[in-house]
Amino acid sequence: MSDDVKDAGLVAMISSILGGNKRADSSAPPPLTKVPPTAPTNGFDLVEPSTPDPAPAESDDAPDAVPAAAKPVERPAKITTTPDGKKLLPAEAIADLVLGELRKLENFPATGASVTVYGYKHWNAMITFAPFSTTFQNATRFRQAVPDLVFKLRRFVELEI
């Protein structure tokens, strides 16, 4: 497999995570500078707070009965951006991004893999596997994919301390 094909695959993988599930065309990947990805919001912006349905009144004595006030749902903190356009995310969110992209690889274990993000300005990621969760050859292949993925993600994401 050529380096161009690997790079196109990684770009498509990162774009799908950071770009709102947009898949890059495998024959002509979009340049990273023209399509700035966005960090996932975990769907909080799309979900409206639910209100309980009022119970039907049994009698006509209380026509003005008001249902119990619904407790307002607090919105999560906005994702902050650095002056150079990078998203500030906590280590757990970056680890989820890396793990989510690795799960798209062939033969990646459904359980038993964890990603640790460490560092500060030049953060890095480390992947570990539980015993018997994958083969040695597959674990080596996944570990070799992590530095490329981290290098590409560092362009768009900065670790929040």
Side-chain angles (χ1 to χ4, degrees):
M1 185 180 288
S2 71
D3 289 337
D4 291 337
V5 173
K6 287 180 184 178
D7 287 341
L10 285 173
V11 168
M13 179 173 38
I14 291 170
S15 296
S16 68
I17 284 181
L18 298 177
N21 292 331
K22 295 179 196 168
R23 289 282 180 178
D25 187 358
S26 61
S27 62
L32 293 176
T33 56
K34 291 184 179 178
V35 182
T38 57
T41 60
N42 294 331
F44 286 114
D45 293 335
L46 303 175
V47 177
E48 296 180 15
S50 62
T51 56
D53 294 333
E58 297 276 332
S59 65
D60 293 334
D61 296 338
D64 297 334
V66 178
K71 184 178 178 183
V73 177
E74 291 185 30
R75 299 194 85 160
K78 291 280 186 182
I79 296 175
T80 57
T81 308
T82 62
D84 58 350
K86 293 181 181 180
K87 305 288 184 192
L88 278 175
L89 295 175
E92 295 83 15
I94 297 173
D96 288 341
L97 283 175
V98 173
L99 191 58
E101 286 303 312
L102 289 171
R103 288 187 195 275
K104 294 177 183 177
L105 297 176
E106 184 181 353
N107 295 329
F108 194 83
T111 60
S114 65
V115 174
T116 304
V117 174
Y118 60 93
Y120 176 61
K121 195 70 165 164
H122 299 287
W123 58 269
N124 207 348
M126 172 183 69
I127 186 169
T128 56
F129 297 98
F132 306 108
S133 63
T134 188
T135 64
F136 178 78
Q137 289 84 9
N138 284 339
T140 302
R141 188 169 55 96
F142 301 139
R143 285 188 182 108
Q144 289 172 348
V146 169
D148 292 335
L149 182 60
V150 167
F151 178 75
K152 304 241 189 245
L153 279 175
R154 273 193 215 134
R155 295 180 187 174
F156 307 108
V157 179
E158 194 167 304
L159 182 62
E160 179 181 76
I161 301 292

